[in-house]
Amino acid sequence: MTEHDETRIRKLLAVRTDAMTSRDAETLASQYTPDVIAFTLAPPLAHRGADVIDVDARKAWFDGFEGPIEYEVRDLEITVGGAIAYCHSLTCLSTTPKGAPASFELWFRSTICFREDIGEWRITHVHDSTPFYMDATMSAALDLKP
């Protein structure tokens, strides 16, 4: 891993965080490879290629929230090997769904994979998840915080 590659990936992720909070769908779309696959918190189980890069769909998702969108990446660790890299972090999304009586704060786990393409790092895979309670409720553990 070169320090330069890690710095470039950290910058890409900082731009991603800024794009989330400013609702910048175009910037988010530009960060992905055409063959990206994303396992996000929202259904369906997998989003592929054009579905992930779809600017109008991302704008519609942003439009589902009132007020600010807060997005925080914490405990970020990056590994780079040649033209492939990955990172993992704890991530927090906080906002208010339209029509909801209150905002929510959700901490989740995130793993992102990157591929260097013509000197530029781009996202090729995203996997976000929340743990769940393995008891009779089998409910998502939405109350966890780092």
Side-chain angles (χ1 to χ4, degrees):
M1 170 176 71
T2 71
E3 194 172 313
H4 177 66
D5 287 324
E6 182 175 341
T7 299
R8 289 170 45 214
I9 290 169
R10 283 186 185 279
K11 182 177 178 185
L12 176 104
L13 293 171
V15 168
R16 186 172 190 257
T17 296
D18 290 344
M20 285 291 292
T21 60
S22 66
R23 301 172 185 249
D24 185 348
E26 290 86 0
T27 294
L28 288 170
S30 73
Q31 293 187 328
Y32 297 106
T33 61
D35 61 343
V36 63
I37 183 163
F39 302 145
T40 67
L41 299 175
L45 289 173
H47 303 268
R48 295 178 183 275
D51 292 337
V52 178
I53 299 168
D54 186 336
V55 171
D56 290 333
R58 181 74 62 156
K59 286 179 179 178
W61 183 79
F62 285 140
D63 287 343
F65 302 111
E66 294 183 37
I69 295 174
E70 296 178 27
Y71 192 82
E72 177 186 350
V73 176
R74 181 172 165 172
D75 301 335
L76 176 65
E77 293 186 31
I78 299 171
T79 301
V80 179
I84 302 291
Y86 71 90
C87 70
H88 54 83
S89 64
L90 298 176
T91 304
C92 184
L93 174 65
S94 180
T95 190
T96 304
K98 281 192 176 169
S103 64
F104 69 86
E105 178 182 274
L106 172 65
W107 282 96
F108 57 96
R109 305 168 293 199
S110 187
T111 302
I112 302 174
C113 301
F114 308 87
R115 184 171 61 229
E116 190 175 26
D117 185 32
I118 312 172
E120 184 177 340
W121 286 101
R122 295 182 68 202
I123 299 169
T124 188
H125 177 70
V126 175
H127 189 131
D128 296 327
S129 67
T130 58
F132 69 94
Y133 292 107
M134 295 185 183
D135 57 15
T137 67
M138 298 297 285
S139 62
L142 304 179
D143 58 335
L144 297 178
K145 297 183 189 301

